[in-house]
Structures are given as structure tokens and as C-alpha cells.
Amino acid sequence: MSAIWHVFQIKWSLTLVVAGFSCFAFSDSSSNSLFNMSLADLLDVTISSTSHFDETKMSSATTVVHSSPIQWKQQGARTLGEALSHMPSSIGVQGAGTTQMFAVRGYFDFAADTGIAVRLDGIPMNKIRSGTGLLSANGYDLAALESLELIRGPGSSLHGTDAFHGVLSLQTKSHSNDSEYGKSTSVSSALGSHDYSALSVSSHTAEQGTHQAGTTLSYRKFGDQDLRYPYTEPASGLHKSGERSNEQEILNGVFSYMYTPNQTTEYIGTAYLFKVDANQLPGVGREILGESLQEDKDWSDYSSLTSVLKVGINHRRSERSSLSAFAYYWRNVDFFSTDLSNTFLGFRLDEDREESHFGFQVLNRHEFRDSSVAYGYDFRSGSLDDFAETLIGKDDSVTNNQRVETGFSDDVHSLFFDGRTSIASSSIDFVYGLRLDKYTSFDLQASPRLSLIGPVGEGSVWKLSYGHAFRAPNLFHLYGASTTKPNFDIQPDQLDNIEVVFQRQVQDYFVSVTAFKNWWSDAIRSVLLDQPEGDFVLQYQNTGKNEAYGAEFEAKFERNRSRADLSLSYIKSRNVDSNDDYAAFPDWILNLGLGYQLSDRLDVYMNNRFHHRQEASESGVSQGSRQFFRADVIFNWEQTERLTAQFAVRNLFDRNNYLPSYFGHEEGVPDTAINASVSLNFRF
């Protein structure tokens, strides 16, 4: 009965808000700047993660998607995870102690996310303990970001070891478009179901031709989301259900400064702080023994505090030559907790971890008549400064352990080379790159890439690309954990990728077709030991050969007041040696967005997401739904260029959706029920 009343409240609120919007929407107004960005403007944005030179989606040799605040507003995205959910050939889910995990083009298990490189303003943000930069992904609040880019496929020739399956590049708010000089400030606020609230303030100050400074502060809260999940009681075999609140509180602060003393030189500085607290995220599921050990308390808690400082210089020596350099330091302190006291392990586990990272990069760029080349040096140093485990027994006994890997540090020295040239007597571009990475603890690794790009008539291109990537073992792979046995003989895994792409872009539509194949050798995966050794039941090992292949179709269409955004992918991934499919990753993924501008002031957009997968969750137990379908409806309203509002209803049909689980939860990880939010933005 309470669920029926909840749905009734949402639908009644929708009726009232649409009626209220309509009173404004169809009155006379000359302000329609919210809808003035054309499809051509969206497609011709600068891509910065695929090369050391600025590119567009059409000119890039790498398969990439770009997303910015105008798309997030259109889609009603509130978090980085929600923005990523609209990306082609990829899925984002939650795991134990993680606000958002991410998998691209198959290989779905609880280690796949360690192959995604996360970069913030060019700074590598992956941790040396877990190998991922996504544990606190939702902590990067969209209010503090200018854009995000996702490379689908290997990017090691540009970004090194972490760029194995893909690259997620985040750009903080630049404020450069706010005004040429003077001051501007914007304030945004939001309220919604499940005790959702948000507030952000962003300001920008500029002196003509000299100084620019920007500040963004944001706060976002998700209350109890009442996510019900099924489990089987190990002792009785009865099917029961539990509940997770999935509460999250996010705080961001960004300060940026740029000093331009002349037309050839600029100095930049950025300070970034983000904090996230999350309660009752998914627990350990059936990962340990194939049973739902935590039963109705299958929970984990996670908190993270990250501070980042970056300084740099950009200097143009001549019209065709430039030098860029930057240095950075970042520090992360996080906490993980999960209660295993009712399991055979008999304790609650608390982990306190601290990492610090330092690095710098020097980059030279040269542009010639028919070619361009970039080369440079990259240095990274990471240290696990503290890693303490606390085991609290059923009798309240406390055991404190300082993990043996505490104090581990690793340096990486890298040389990289990136270029493009036109092949003589043809209109074909040859794109090439090579990166050499020398680790203190691992051998020298080489990551090449080669591509050919040629025209097919006016407005169309074909692309043929090859890339090689590697992934060095992280500390979790080497040292294990409370239930995972160490393995110091584990070797880096390798991946080779080939892609064929056709793209066409004209004034009112864009089409892209991609076919790819990956060959993954010495894959690092967690496997069950033949016989448990004390508390150890798992170990990370090199598990032989894997492969993935698939096809992707993307299209964007715009005509008069209507528009459509479509991405469709078919992906198969499997372990070649065992002939087992990674069946939890959806073989079919469809994202369909349909938009219509009702008036000069009111726009409506409907997101539709569909996944079909062969199994319900990673473990292969297929007792739940293998299909995921969700529809969101978003109304964006603009009273003036300074005042805008949004009303969004997510999971419009209130479906009981489940996403696949990294940890073998029965049926998967539940998606949120129907919910709504309203937000206002005012600029002055």
C-alpha cells in the first residue's frame, strides 16, 4: 500500500509541475539560449583525452564519447554515475564499498574496473592499493565539472598502465565561458524524493587579459533509498529479502586560477577537495563461499576525502611550437567497513587507508604543414602511507593489524611520443604513438598504437586502428586481503585491440559504426583456492587468454524542434581457455534519448535504457531478470538566460530493475524505484 501511495505522490507532483511550467512556457519570450546549441555545436567540441593535440570526434583515431553540462541537464543526471550510465557499450554498478564501478566492452567481474584510467585535469587518479580511481567516483560532483570523456578501448600509449579497458577523463569547471572579464556567479539548488537535496555556488572573476579566478562549492545528499534485495538464507535455504539505504553525502570545493602576463604564456593553478560518505552500500554478497553470508545485513560503509593541488605553465614558443608542463600532488584518506560477525569469519572488518601521489609532466608540441608531433616525459610516484585493519569480534574483542604493504611506494618513469602525418599523394592520415613505462617494481612496458584515417566523400571518414595495452598488478593483487592469499609471482596482463570505424557527420545528423576485437592474455582474475588455507579462500592469478568482440552503432539526429540520441551495442566476451562467457555483461545495450522543444522556454527529454544479459549476476545464477529497462523523463524550463529550472522523474514505470553484481549478489544490484526531483539555477 505504501508503494502505491508513493507512486501516486510522484505522478500527482508531475501533473502539478507540468501545469505550472506550461503557464510560463507558452507566453511570449525572446530568451531561448538554453536551446540554442545545435547538434553541430555539440559534435564539434574539442576532445583532449585522445591525443596530445586537440581533436574532434570525427578527427580522433580513438573511439571516444564526450559529455558536458548541457547533456547532463538534458538527461537529468545528478551524479557522475548517472552521467556514465548513458555511455555506449558500458555499464556502471555498485560493489562492496564503492559508490560506482564501471565496465567497458565486456569482461564484467569484480576486477574489471581496475582497467579504467581516471584522470582529473590530466592528473592520474588511480590508486596503487586497488588499482582503480572509481571507489569514490560519485564524489566527483557534476557541479564542479566542465566535461567528461570516455575512451572505449585501450589507451596505454597515451595514459599508461591504468588505461587497459578504457579511460575516463574529467575536466573541472573552467569558468572561461562565463565572461570575458568582470564577475559572474551562479547558484543551483535541488530537492527530491528519498530525502534528496543539493546546493552549489560557482563564481568567476576576470581582469581583462591578466588574471582569472574561479571557485565552485557544492553539496549533494541522497537519503534512504530503500533498495530491497533478495537472498537465500544459508542455514535453511529459504528465500528472503533485505534492504539497503544506499545513503550518500557529497561535498566538493574547486579553486582555479590563471595568470596570463602576455599573449604567449599562461600560468595555471587548481586546488580540488572532495569528500563522500556512503552508508549501506552492497556488501560481500556471495563472493567468498558462494553463499549470501551477510543475509539481511549485506552492507558496507565507505567514506573518502581527497585533496588535489596542480600548478602548471603553457608557453607558445612560436606559431607552430609550444611547451607545457605541470606538477601535482594528491592525497586520499578513506575508510571501509563491513560486518561479517554473523558469518563463519566471526568479525566486523574496518579498514583505514591513506595514499599520497606526486608527479609531473613535460610536453613539447610541434606542428608542420602536413604533420604534427608531440613528445615528453612523465613521472609518477605513489605511496601507500597507511593501511590499518581492525577486527571486532562477536565478544567485542578488538584486534588491530597494520597491513604489511603499509609504506609501499612505486615510481614510474615514462617517455611518450604521439604524432600524425598525411600520407604523400593521398588524403589519408597516419596516426601513431608509443609510450615506454619503467616501474621500480616491474619490467619496462611498451604500448604502441597505429591508425589510418581517410575520407569517404564529403562529411564521412573511415578509420582503422590498432592499440596495445598492459596492466601492472596492484597491491591488492600482490598482497591479498583477509580472505585473499598473496601472490608475488603475478605478472602484468596484456591486451591487443583492433577497430574499424565509419563515421558521417552533416548539419543535422551524425552516424558512427564500429567493429572491434580484443585479445587479452595473462588476465588477472580472482579464483577460488582448491583448498582453503586458514582464512584464505581466494587468490589473484594470471588466468590465461580472454577475448571480446562486438559492434557499436551511434546516431544523433536533429530536425526542427525534435532530436534523438541513439547508441546500440552487441558485445561478447569470454575466457578462451575455459570457454566461459563473461555472461553478466549485457550482450545488448540500447540507449535511446528522445527530445522535443515544446516552446521557446520548455523542453522535454525522455531517456530509455535497455540491457539484455545472459545471466542475472556474475556468478552465473540466472534466477532473476536478465533484462533491464528504465525510462526517465526530464523537463527543462528557461524563464530567462539567468533563471532556469528542471523537473525530472526517474524510473518512470517503477520497474524492479537489477544491474549485474560484481560480487555475485542474487539477481544483481537493485536499481532505484520511481523518484522525482526539482532544481533551480540562477545566474547573476
Side-chain angles (χ1 to χ4, degrees), residues 88-91 102-107 116 150-153 165-166 585:
S89 305
S90 54
I91 56 171
F102 201 54
V104 180
R105 287 182 171 177
Y107 307 126
I116 306 295
L150 175 67
I151 294 177
R152 304 194 301 275
H165 297 300
F585 189 90

Side-chain angles (χ1 to χ4, degrees), residues 12-147:
W12 181 244
S13 299
L14 174 62
T15 303
L16 290 177
V17 173
V18 172
F21 276 7
S22 299
C23 294
F24 292 97
F26 295 99
S27 60
D28 292 334
S29 173
S30 59
S31 173
N32 64 347
S33 61
L34 179 64
F35 314 112
N36 271 348
M37 180 167 282
S38 67
L39 177 61
D41 294 330
L42 290 172
L43 292 172
D44 289 334
V45 295
T46 299
I47 305 292
S48 60
S49 61
T50 59
S51 171
H52 294 294
F53 295 92
D54 290 340
E55 297 182 324
T56 65
K57 193 176 178 74
M58 290 284 285
S59 66
S60 171
T62 305
T63 306
V64 63
V65 60
H66 177 279
S67 185
S68 64
I70 192 167
Q71 280 100 354
W72 307 335
K73 174 175 281 191
Q74 177 177 266
Q75 297 160 353
R78 298 169 296 179
T79 66
L80 179 61
E82 290 182 350
L84 290 173
S85 69
H86 300 285
M87 298 296 178
S89 305
S90 54
I91 56 171
V93 301
Q94 291 181 322
T98 59
T99 61
Q100 186 72 42
M101 306 308 281
F102 201 54
V104 180
R105 287 182 171 177
Y107 307 126
F108 189 91
D109 70 355
F110 52 85
D113 60 284
T114 58
I116 306 295
V118 179
R119 301 178 68 83
L120 180 69
D121 291 341
I123 301 170
M125 299 299 295
N126 290 57
K127 297 182 178 182
I128 60 171
R129 160 63 182 166
S130 59
T132 181
L134 291 167
L135 292 180
S136 54
N138 280 353
Y140 298 103
D141 196 66
L142 293 181
L145 297 179
E146 185 76 19
S147 67

Side-chain angles (χ1 to χ4, degrees), residues 494-511:
Q494 311 284 334
L495 185 141
D496 293 283
N497 164 268
I498 189 167
E499 294 182 4
V500 180
V501 182
F502 170 80
Q503 292 179 329
R504 177 168 176 78
Q505 177 182 335
V506 293
Q507 187 65 26
D508 56 4
Y509 76 89
F510 167 82
V511 172

